[in-house]
Amino acid sequence: MSSQIIVQVAGRQRSVDQGTSAADLFADDRQVVVARVDGDLVDLAHVLADGDVVEPVLVSEPEGLQVLRHSCAHVLAQAVQAADPQARLGIGPPIRDGFYYDFDVEAPFTPEDLKALEKSMQKIINSGQTFARRDVSDGEARRELAGEPYKLELIGLKGGSADEAAEGASVEVGGSQLTIYDNLDRTGTVVWGDLCRGPHVPTTKLIANGFKLMRSAAAYWRGSEKNPQLQRIYGTAWPTKPELTAYLDRLAEAEKRDHRKLGAEMDLYSFPEQLGSGLPLFHPKGGVLKRVMEDYVRQRHIEEGFDYVGTPHISKEGLFHTSGHLPYYADSMFPPMEMEGSTYYLKAMNCPMHNLIFSSRGRSYRELPLRFFEFGSVYRNEKSGVVHGLTRVRGMTQDDSHSYVTPDQAADEIRHLLKFILGLLDDFGLSDYYLELSTPDMAGDKKDKFQGTPEQWAGAVEVLETVARETGLELVADPGGAAFYGPKISVQARDAIGRTWQMSTIQYDFNQPAGFGLEYQAADGTRQQPVMIHSAKFGSIERFIGVLVEHYAGAFPPWLAPVQVVGVPVAEDFDDYLKDIAAQLRAAGARVELDLSDDRFPKKIRNASKSKAPFILIVGGEDRDAGAVSFRYRDGSQKNGVPVAEAIAEIMAAIRDRVQV
């Protein structure tokens, strides 16, 4: 037999010895942490076979970074069990920017515990342990993990789906091989192990330069309130120390911009416990911001050919069966209410009611595209663990629109909506964005989660993808992310510190028109089914406000600022003069506040600066005598002796032109 095999690397064939591993193949590149063989991620210790297609995966790539973080999670679990042998293991997956691991322990972790665990992890990492994969049978796994009840539960899920099994077991749909990863010391002795699908970095030393434990929190096992509550430790890991430092700096900046903190400081909104989780209250200044946004988007919808409609907050159960949301969306809806012998639901979406408006009378092809729009209050039964300020709420207002078009009009309508959305985001200062295309996963048991035929889905995806590519924007695939009734394009916007937020969405729906029996009379006299295109420009106004607060760090452009001008007199003698200027500004349409308190002038200036108003107007004796004012801007610069008429013109121009100051 030949001692050589042929593998394909980077599109080129290579002849290597039998028994060659991926580590041997990429030994000269220390940035390679795992490999992809025939499309599957594997450890570098994986021995190659004849005909394998092999690709290196660098630690700087998303998949390589995930493996680094997953390995760091295992080091954390080893450190926890070294400190507390009675700690029972949950799961420890990589997540965005880091990882977590869940533990069943007697008492919650303290900040001091995390510091001690970091030191223990550093010792493990520095010792240069290696990760070794080992295939085991169900029985072997059960014997080895007899003291780990949560791991035993995952073994019991081996016949279920990979989603059910989560991170903890190497399980494919329909069942497959279980694997344990052993941590070996320099002598090859097993010092710790964990049930895991892998892969892992070859040595813990790759984690040495950039990891940190961030915080701990309570978490239900497998996300269900019916299960035991565990203690979760969150951490982060990066290939280098500078990357870790940069990430921590970004976090510090994000903390300064936290919309919950700024909302309280600026008196915009609050989240009273008496009201309930995820149900915000908008205060007068927050109400101004919300009204300005509503006025803007209402006018823009009218300009774009939409008709304003209104629908109630609740509906009979049958409507949501017709739309298909029950049972597909039932878990995200609030529990039903019984009234007068009927079952009612708080609405979680507006589209079923818009369909009733469409079907309220006969429609002709001459009316299409027919566009409905409303500010619809909807309610989502979000889990308490994911509710977060304004960015994840249970009660929200959507600028929801639905376009009813012929199939031939669908592409043009999507172009129209995308142009509308991108213009809106630009107006609000979110000009760095890309597109994401969410498609169905029609494989295996997941195909039952999507209504319609594969052919219908393929046609809808093709239309969305074609229009999306025409924009020239980056287009990212989101396989399996589609709603049950159709694929969608979402606009992913980056804020001032580089974070990505899902903003507006456009969804192609061929299912609800069929469910509601929607029809229009075509030019040839036949009855045809329209295509329904869902679109939300803000998504939810609440979430959009939360994103804007953080994007601008509360320093809104003049047209959006709840208070556009703060007037500060140098002394009480100039109050009346300042009141007259404020009256002129209000008459011109500006939002003005005056500080006529008894505070000393320097404190008034500090308070005005903290308010984040775009313009601070200061008046003293020289200003009054000259019929002028002095400007103080956000950057601390000042302009003195500006005639009142010129000052008002400057302020109103900045508001009108939506400039940033």
Side-chain angles (χ1 to χ4, degrees), residues 67 113 418:
V67 169
D113 292 333
L418 258 180

Side-chain angles (χ1 to χ4, degrees), residues 339-357:
M339 185 171 62
E340 297 177 346
S342 296
T343 300
Y344 286 78
Y345 278 89
L346 282 170
K347 69 172 177 178
M349 65 296 296
N350 302 296
C351 41
M353 299 180 183
H354 288 193
N355 289 332
L356 296 181
I357 297 173

Side-chain angles (χ1 to χ4, degrees), residues 322-325 351-352 354-356 358-359 368 402-407 451 456 484-486 507-520 528-534:
T322 303
S323 69
H325 289 93
C351 41
H354 288 193
N355 289 332
L356 296 181
F358 182 96
S359 63
L368 308 185
H402 297 93
S403 301
Y404 299 88
V405 299
T406 69
Q451 293 182 334
Q456 287 175 310
F484 69 88
Y485 52 81
Q507 294 176 289
Y508 189 113
D509 186 353
F510 45 81
N511 279 301
Q512 286 198 54
F516 279 88
L518 303 185
E519 292 182 336
Y520 64 91
Q528 302 292 331
Q529 179 181 301
V531 170
M532 181 182 186
I533 300 175
H534 308 242

Side-chain angles (χ1 to χ4, degrees), residues 296-453:
Y296 167 93
V297 83
R298 182 184 292 109
Q299 182 59 37
R300 290 288 289 112
H301 273 93
I302 292 169
E303 292 168 359
E304 297 294 336
F306 286 83
D307 294 317
Y308 184 79
V309 300
T311 62
H313 293 227
I314 64 173
S315 168
K316 287 183 178 180
E317 177 182 29
L319 182 68
F320 300 113
H321 280 293
T322 303
S323 69
H325 289 93
L326 291 176
Y328 288 91
Y329 206 76
D331 289 345
S332 295
M333 299 177 73
F334 275 90
M337 300 171 282
E338 300 297 328
M339 185 171 62
E340 297 177 346
S342 296
T343 300
Y344 286 78
Y345 278 89
L346 282 170
K347 69 172 177 178
M349 65 296 296
N350 302 296
C351 41
M353 299 180 183
H354 288 193
N355 289 332
L356 296 181
I357 297 173
F358 182 96
S359 63
S360 63
R361 64 173 178 81
R363 303 289 179 179
S364 164
Y365 74 95
R366 299 180 187 276
E367 296 179 76
L368 308 185
L370 182 62
R371 303 178 177 114
F372 296 147
F373 154 74
E374 75 166 311
F375 288 116
S377 296
V378 298
Y379 304 89
R380 307 276 171 86
N381 190 17
E382 302 283 6
K383 293 184 182 297
S384 58
V386 301
V387 170
H388 181 81
L390 292 179
T391 56
R392 197 70 176 265
V393 294
R394 287 174 168 166
M396 70 194 80
T397 308
Q398 288 188 318
D399 59 333
D400 214 1
S401 75
H402 297 93
S403 301
Y404 299 88
V405 299
T406 69
D408 290 342
Q409 293 171 333
D412 281 341
E413 184 64 11
I414 293 165
R415 290 186 188 96
H416 171 247
L417 291 167
L418 258 180
K419 183 178 178 182
F420 179 2
I421 285 168
L422 299 182
L424 176 145
L425 293 176
D426 287 342
D427 281 349
F428 282 89
L430 294 167
S431 55
D432 182 6
Y433 39 69
Y434 63 93
L435 304 180
E436 186 173 81
L437 179 60
S438 298
T439 55
D441 182 352
M442 305 295 279
D445 60 354
K446 292 186 178 181
K447 66 179 183 294
D448 295 331
K449 297 180 181 179
F450 303 98
Q451 293 182 334
T453 67

